[in-house]
Amino acid sequence: MTSTDTVTTTTPTQQAADWLARFGAALAAGQADTAAALFGEDSYWRDLVSFTWNLRTEEGRGAIHEMLAARLADVQPSNFQLQGDATEAGGITEAWFTFETAVARGLGHLRLMNGLAWTFLTTMVELKGHEEKKGTRRIKGAEHGVHPGRHTWLEGRSTGAPTPGTTEHPEAVAIGGGQGGTGLGARLRRLGVPTIIIEKNARAGDSWRNRYKSLCLHDPVWYDHMPYLPFPDDWPVFCPKDKVGDWLESYTKLMELNYWSSTVAEKARWDEDAQRWEVRVVRDGQPVTLRPKQLVFALGVSGYANVPKIPGAETFLGQQHHSSKHPGGDAWRGKKAVVLGSNNSAHDICADLWENGADVTMVQRSSTHIAPSDSLMELALGGLYSEQAVASGIDHHKADLVFASVPYKIMHTFHIPVYEEMKRRDADLYRRLEEAGFMLDFGEDGSGLFMKYLRRGSGYYIDVGASELIANGSVHLRSRVDIARVNPTSVTLTDGSELPCDLLVYATGYGSMNNWLADLVSPEVADRVGKCWGLGSATTKDPGPWEGELRNMWKPTPVDNLWIHGGNLHQSRHYSQFLSLQLKARMEGIPTPVYKPAPSHHRR
C-alpha cells in the first residue's frame, strides 16, 4: 500500500498575514527581541512619525531592536491588519497593512525575503480624536432652523481670519507661499491648526509666474498633484509655469487658507518667556508682529541664488543676471548670449534663447546627468506615476507610499538598472553629446537622476529638447572651462579664449536652505540647524556621515519649534502630511518624545 505526502503551499497573503500576526503578538507582549528577530540581519524599518515622532530609518536588526526597546512602552502598537492580498515577485513578498498606536492610526508596507522582513514602512495617518472632518465627519455647512444674528459662510471667513492689529496669534506661521506653504497650510487647516502663510509676492503662484517664459514642469502630472485636490484628468502632462501659478492661486481660495500675499518676513526670534516666536513682517507696507508657537520655513528646495564673483563683472556693458531672474529670450534676437551652467535651468534658458534667435553658448564647468524625458517617464516613473499606473489601481497616494517604502540606503540599487537601460535606449543621443564635447555622468554609482536630486539637488537635466541643440551644434558648447573674467563686451574663459557677449546668465544654482535662517533669525540659529537637504552619502556635494534621511526636512530640527518644509511637488504633497501631524500633536499637548533627533553635522 502506498501513501501520498500532502504538500502545503503557503500563499504570499498567508505568509504576510502570519508574519504580521507574530510581529503584532511580540509587540503586544513587549518583546522587542522577539519582534526584532523577525527582521533579517540586513533589514530596514523606515518610520514616518508613528513610532519615533521623527522621520527615521533604522538600518539592521540591532538598530530595530534598540528602537523597539526604547519606544514600545510609549507607543503601544496594536491591531496589525493585512490590507488586501500580498504579492510575490523575484522572491520578495510585498503587503500593505494598517495598525494603531496609543494616539494614532497608521498605514504600512512590508517586504519579506526568505520569511523575514527586509523593508518595513510605518506611517502615521491620523491622530485619534483629532481626525480630519471628512466623509462621515464632514460639517453640515448650513445650520437649519431660525438663528438670530446668523453669520453666513463669507461673514464667518471674514471674522475668523487673523488680520493686522488683532491680538489673535496663530499656532503656526509658514514663511513661503509656494506649493510647499500652501499644501502644508491646507493640511493644517483640515486639522484645525490656525496657520498664516506669508508670501512676499503680490499673488499666490507668482513664484512660478515670475520665472522665464518657457518654464514648465519637467515631472509628469501624475507625480505633481497637490494635497486633497488632484489636477483634472485632462490636465497637461507637463504643466506650463503660468498654469501652475493659476492653480496655486485658486488652491489658496478653494482650501480657504489664511494666505497673506505682499507680506515680507523681516525678522524672527524665539521669545523664551512667552514660549513663542516673534515674527516681524510687513504686510502691504504695514508692520505686523505675529507670535506663533511653530515657525515653518517653506521657501522651496534651495537657499539664496549662487551668483559667482567674477573679476570684471562690474565693467560689463550688457545684461547679466542669475537664472532665477531671467525673463525670457524675446529681447535677444541676433545677440550673443553666454549661459554659465549645465543643469535644468541652463538647458531651458539656452533652448529659449535659441528659439528666439540668439547666438547661444553654454559654458559647462562639470559633468551633468542627462535623462531624456520620454525614457525617464517610462523607465523610472511609469510604474508608479502614469496613466497606466492609475489604470492598474496605483493612484498617487499609493505611489507615494511605495516610493517611501524604499530606504535611502538601498534606493540606488533600485535605480541603477533603470539608468543602465536608459544608456542602452538613448545611446545615440549620448554618443553625439560626447562627440560635441559635453561631459556626461550617471551619478557616482550609476544611479542617475533622483539620487543626484536627493544627495545634492543639482547636477542633472531632464531633457525636453535642449540636448539635441547641443548635440547638433545649434547651441555652442564650451566644456571643462569656467569664466575667468568678465570684460565690457565679452567673457574670457579659463583656457584663455574669449567669447563675445551681450547677455550673461548665471545658471549656477542655489545655496543651502539654512542660509534663509541666518538672515531671518540669526547666524547662530542657522548653524545650529545646519545644512538642509542631502543624505550624507559622501558623494559630491553631499558630505558624510550617513544620515539615512534628508537633513532637517519635515522633521524636528536641532532648534525646537522650527521646521523646514520643501522639495518638489511630490515631496511637498507627501511629507506635508507628516509635518502637519507633528504640529497638530504639539498643539493638542500630545507628548511627542523624538527618538534620536538627528545631530547637525554641517553648517552653511
Side-chain angles (χ1 to χ4, degrees):
M1 186 173 181
T2 61
S3 63
T4 302
D5 292 333
T6 300
V7 177
T8 301
T9 301
T10 303
T11 68
T13 298
Q14 291 170 329
Q15 291 175 28
D18 176 66
W19 189 95
L20 282 172
R22 288 183 288 141
F23 181 67
L27 297 185
Q31 298 171 342
D33 51 350
T34 302
L38 294 171
F39 289 78
E41 282 291 345
D42 294 321
S43 56
Y44 305 87
W45 181 339
R46 188 173 191 219
D47 180 61
L48 304 182
V49 182
S50 58
F51 274 69
T52 61
W53 290 108
N54 201 350
L55 272 62
R56 275 193 60 85
T57 301
E58 308 307 325
E59 299 175 358
R61 184 185 291 164
I64 291 169
H65 177 268
E66 184 181 357
M67 184 274 283
L68 286 173
R71 297 294 298 134
L72 262 185
D74 180 57
V75 175
Q76 300 176 38
S78 65
N79 200 23
F80 286 81
Q81 298 289 329
L82 193 68
Q83 295 296 297
D85 290 329
T87 60
E88 190 277 333
I92 305 297
T93 297
E94 296 192 44
W96 296 95
F97 62 90
T98 57
F99 65 97
E100 296 184 30
T101 69
V103 300
R105 299 179 187 89
L107 177 63
H109 184 270
L110 166 68
R111 288 186 182 90
L112 293 173
M113 181 190 296
N114 299 322
L116 297 175
W118 176 38
T119 72
F120 194 64
L121 171 73
T122 46
T123 73
M124 184 180 288
V125 173
E126 61 185 5
L127 292 162
K128 294 177 179 177
H130 304 286
E131 298 85 354
E132 293 183 1
K133 292 181 173 61
K134 61 182 181 180
T136 58
R137 299 188 186 94
R138 72 172 75 226
I139 64 172
K140 286 186 176 180
E143 292 294 332
H144 296 160
V146 180
H147 302 281
R150 178 199 298 268
H151 284 155
T152 67
W153 168 83
L154 181 60
E155 290 167 338
R157 282 282 296 150
S158 300
T159 58
T163 55
T166 67
T167 57
E168 181 181 356
H169 296 296
E171 176 72 13
V173 162
I175 299 177
Q179 68 258 19
T182 54
L184 177 63
R187 291 201 187 270
L188 290 172
R189 183 185 176 281
R190 296 260 294 228
L191 289 170
V193 179
T195 303
I196 293 176
I197 304 158
I198 63 175
E199 167 60 42
K200 67 179 181 180
N201 289 307
R203 294 167 57 196
D206 276 352
S207 56
W208 286 89
R209 294 189 193 95
N210 293 342
R211 297 297 303 280
Y212 52 90
K213 287 175 61 176
S214 63
L215 177 65
C216 65
L217 292 178
H218 288 187
D219 297 320
V221 62
W222 307 277
Y223 186 78
D224 291 333
H225 297 294
M226 293 288 289
Y228 309 119
L229 289 180
F231 296 121
D233 59 9
D234 68 341
W235 208 251
V237 174
F238 302 108
C239 190
K241 70 178 182 74
D242 295 285
K243 195 173 180 70
V244 176
D246 288 350
W247 180 263
L248 290 176
E249 186 172 31
S250 300
Y251 188 89
T252 64
K253 297 175 181 177
L254 292 170
M255 301 307 293
E256 301 180 24
L257 306 183
N258 288 327
Y259 191 96
W260 288 12
S261 58
S262 299
T263 303
V264 177
E266 292 196 325
K267 204 68 179 175
R269 74 172 189 91
W270 177 252
D271 185 334
E272 189 65 34
D273 294 333
Q275 290 293 289
R276 285 180 174 270
W277 287 95
E278 181 184 276
V279 185
R280 300 202 313 268
V281 305
V282 175
R283 186 187 191 199
D284 293 325
Q286 299 298 314
V288 184
T289 299
L290 299 171
R291 293 184 174 84
K293 288 185 179 178
Q294 309 291 341
L295 182 59
V296 182
F297 285 84
L299 292 165
V301 73
S302 306
Y304 292 117
N306 285 329
V307 179
K309 297 184 183 301
I310 302 175
E314 71 283 358
T315 71
F316 188 56
L317 298 177
Q319 285 193 25
Q320 56 182 323
H321 49 242
H322 188 264
S323 58
S324 59
K325 303 295 184 183
H326 183 66
D330 309 52
W332 300 101
R333 181 172 299 277
K335 302 290 187 179
K336 302 281 189 181
V338 174
V339 177
L340 179 61
S342 57
N343 294 339
N344 265 335
S345 292
H347 279 82
D348 282 350
I349 290 169
C350 284
D352 173 56
L353 288 164
W354 180 85
E355 287 178 343
N356 281 279
D359 185 327
V360 191
T361 300
M362 173 187 284
V363 177
Q364 185 190 26
R365 300 172 296 175
S366 57
S367 66
T368 306
H369 170 58
I370 303 295
S373 178
D374 288 346
S375 295
L376 185 70
M377 297 309 107
E378 181 179 344
L379 298 174
L381 294 175
L384 295 179
Y385 299 98
S386 67
E387 206 63 42
Q388 292 71 31
V390 173
S392 65
I394 303 176
D395 63 8
H396 62 280
H397 301 293
K398 188 171 186 178
D400 288 349
L401 289 168
V402 173
F403 210 91
S405 73
V406 179
Y408 290 125
K409 186 75 170 182
I410 57 174
M411 185 175 282
H412 66 286
T413 66
F414 285 63
H415 286 262
I416 289 170
V418 169
Y419 293 95
E420 287 296 325
E421 174 60 19
M422 193 177 293
K423 284 181 188 178
R424 186 197 65 77
R425 177 178 297 197
D426 298 294
D428 180 65
L429 173 64
Y430 293 134
R431 175 186 59 77
R432 291 187 296 115
L433 281 170
E434 290 187 314
E435 287 174 356
F438 195 88
M439 294 184 288
L440 285 169
D441 72 60
F442 282 80
E444 294 180 28
D445 52 9
S447 57
L449 187 146
F450 198 70
M451 294 310 299
K452 268 201 159 188
Y453 170 71
L454 292 170
R455 291 164 173 170
R456 54 183 282 190
S458 64
Y460 53 85
Y461 168 55
I462 300 175
D463 178 25
V464 294
S467 289
E468 179 59 33
L469 296 177
I470 295 169
N472 67 26
S474 297
V475 168
H476 312 302
L477 175 69
R478 299 299 305 275
S479 61
R480 297 176 175 82
V481 292
D482 202 342
I483 297 176
R485 181 172 184 82
V486 178
N487 310 307
T489 59
S490 66
V491 296
T492 301
L493 304 181
T494 49
D495 63 0
S497 61
E498 190 172 346
L499 295 175
C501 184
D502 301 300
L503 169 68
L504 176 55
V505 181
Y506 300 107
T508 44
Y510 301 83
S512 176
M513 282 177 270
N514 66 331
N515 285 329
W516 299 113
L517 306 183
D519 286 347
L520 289 172
V521 187
S522 71
E524 293 76 21
V525 163
D527 287 342
R528 279 173 58 197
V529 170
K531 183 178 174 67
C532 302
W533 209 259
L535 299 168
S537 63
T539 58
T540 302
K541 297 187 179 181
D542 184 28
W546 176 252
E547 304 204 21
E549 294 285 339
L550 285 170
R551 296 184 188 94
N552 286 309
M553 299 303 300
W554 316 296
K555 61 184 178 180
T557 70
V559 174
D560 290 342
N561 303 77
L562 188 153
W563 309 81
I564 308 293
H565 178 53
N568 58 28
L569 280 155
H570 153 250
Q571 290 171 305
S572 292
R573 173 187 69 245
H574 180 59
Y575 289 102
S576 61
Q577 172 183 332
F578 308 109
L579 176 51
S580 66
L581 288 166
Q582 292 173 83
L583 296 178
K584 175 66 172 178
R586 284 160 172 79
M587 186 184 88
E588 298 297 341
I590 297 170
T592 58
V594 179
Y595 180 70
K596 289 192 175 181
S600 175
H601 294 294
H602 307 283
R603 297 185 176 182
R604 286 162 287 157

